[in-house]
Amino acid sequence: MSAQGTPDPSLAAKVAVVTVSYHSKDALVGLVTSLAESGISPAATVVVNNAPDDALDLPAFDGLTVIDAPGNVGYGAGVNLGEHALPPEIEWVLITNPDVRLEPDALATLLEIGVAEPTAGALGPRVLQPDGQTYPSARELPSLRNGIGHALFANLWLGNPWSRRYHGEGRPTDGHWRETGWLSGSCQLVRRAAFDAIGGFDDSYFMYFEDVDLGGRMSQAGWRNLYAPDARVVHTGAHSTDRVASRMRAEHHRSAYLYLSRKYSAWYLWPLRAGLKTALGLRARVTRRG
């Protein structure tokens, strides 16, 4: 268990899980199994099926509900659909990809910190890749300077200052968590009151950058995004997006432009927006050919 202490068993009745599936039945079995072995057993688990033509036959699990979306509505919209279906007594929602496996104390550790920090709107665990490497799932909100520096040098100069700043390596820590600009949507625990207060995910992001946008709006509303590395999960990979990889690369660039065009929305910045649109469009075509 984490250094925060033993969680209150009554918290389980206030916690739910929402995940979105797109032909992810096999991956979901691992997620549901890890939840069953968790130190905190959630009161409800909602699976939003974004491929309603592909029926989900999942193992029996207390509180498990499958909701068929009207079609592939996207990740953020799917999470919103699942969150709206939760009973009113739920105060905490673990939003997670179906191909995530929680270590036994991960959910309890996130809850302990969230309860102890009343201004925490979202909490993210350490996300491990299958090879055991830590994925940088807690980052600063993108800026042009850090974004360009990170894009240019991330793979050439591992210790470059732009990537270090973007990954929040200079942020102070209390030993168990540190504040960050945004948390990966692959797995994060949100305070439902905070999530509802800012309107949940922005449905206009079909895939990608919905988590960046959420983190920014959390901060603007006075809530904090906290990264808690003592809580660990394993993310096995993009099973659903592998099916439509080319479309998802294009969607990533569309979402990047949507986010940046809103951030730099002043009328006098139109040349910047035009340049960003051209550059991202070119990069999308290059990666599609690759």
Side-chain angles (χ1 to χ4, degrees):
M1 190 72 64
S2 77
Q4 300 291 319
T6 303
D8 183 348
S10 66
L11 280 175
K14 303 175 183 179
V15 182
V17 176
V18 172
T19 189
V20 178
S21 172
Y22 183 72
H23 301 291
S24 305
K25 179 164 56 179
D26 292 341
L28 279 165
V29 173
L31 171 63
V32 170
T33 300
S34 72
L35 289 170
E37 297 170 352
S38 175
I40 289 281
S41 182
T45 299
V46 175
V47 178
V48 178
N49 186 11
N50 266 357
D53 58 320
D54 184 12
L56 293 177
D57 182 19
L58 299 175
F61 182 59
D62 288 344
L64 179 65
T65 302
V66 175
I67 298 175
D68 283 336
N72 188 3
V73 298
Y75 185 71
V79 170
N80 290 342
L81 184 65
E83 189 266 343
H84 293 160
L86 295 174
E89 61 268 20
I90 297 299
E91 298 178 7
W92 298 93
V93 183
L94 183 73
I95 299 167
T96 182
N97 282 6
D99 51 0
V100 164
R101 311 287 180 269
L102 280 73
E103 292 195 356
D105 295 334
L107 182 53
T109 299
L110 293 174
L111 280 167
E112 293 163 24
I113 297 173
V115 170
E117 301 294 332
T119 60
L123 302 101
R126 182 191 299 273
V127 178
L128 299 173
Q129 299 176 104
D131 63 1
Q133 295 295 310
T134 297
Y135 177 76
S137 59
R139 308 187 188 191
E140 297 303 298
L141 293 171
S143 67
L144 284 180
R145 182 177 62 181
N146 284 343
I148 292 173
H150 172 70
L152 290 175
F153 297 108
N155 295 323
L156 300 174
W157 178 11
L158 296 182
N160 76 80
W162 301 280
S163 294
R164 287 177 58 84
R165 193 176 299 117
Y166 182 43
H167 291 163
E169 293 182 20
R171 285 269 196 171
T173 174
D174 84 330
H176 301 296
W177 57 261
R178 64 172 167 83
E179 191 169 351
T180 190
W182 64 278
L183 297 157
S184 170
S186 65
C187 189
Q188 61 175 282
L189 179 72
V190 298
R191 190 185 301 269
R192 194 179 190 185
F195 189 78
D196 286 347
I198 63 172
F201 282 120
D202 184 337
D203 290 0
S204 61
Y205 295 92
F206 178 81
M207 183 76 70
Y208 306 113
F209 276 82
E210 71 286 320
D211 45 10
V212 183
D213 173 77
L214 184 78
R217 289 187 291 116
M218 280 279 188
S219 297
Q220 289 172 2
W223 298 99
R224 292 184 296 160
N225 302 287
L226 303 184
Y227 173 58
D230 289 345
R232 294 172 177 243
V233 304
V234 178
H235 189 199
T236 60
H239 293 280
S240 60
T241 56
D242 282 346
R243 288 173 166 263
V244 285
S246 179
R247 179 190 172 191
M248 288 301 97
R249 283 194 294 269
E251 191 61 36
H252 185 276
H253 289 86
R254 187 197 76 86
S255 294
Y257 176 73
L258 179 61
Y259 176 83
L260 291 170
S261 66
R262 289 173 172 177
K263 182 172 183 176
Y264 300 104
S265 60
W267 67 267
Y268 55 83
L269 293 177
W270 69 265
L272 173 62
R273 292 192 295 276
L276 286 169
K277 190 169 188 178
T278 299
L280 287 167
L282 177 61
R283 190 174 188 276
R285 288 193 292 274
V286 170
T287 56
R288 189 180 304 122
R289 285 198 296 269

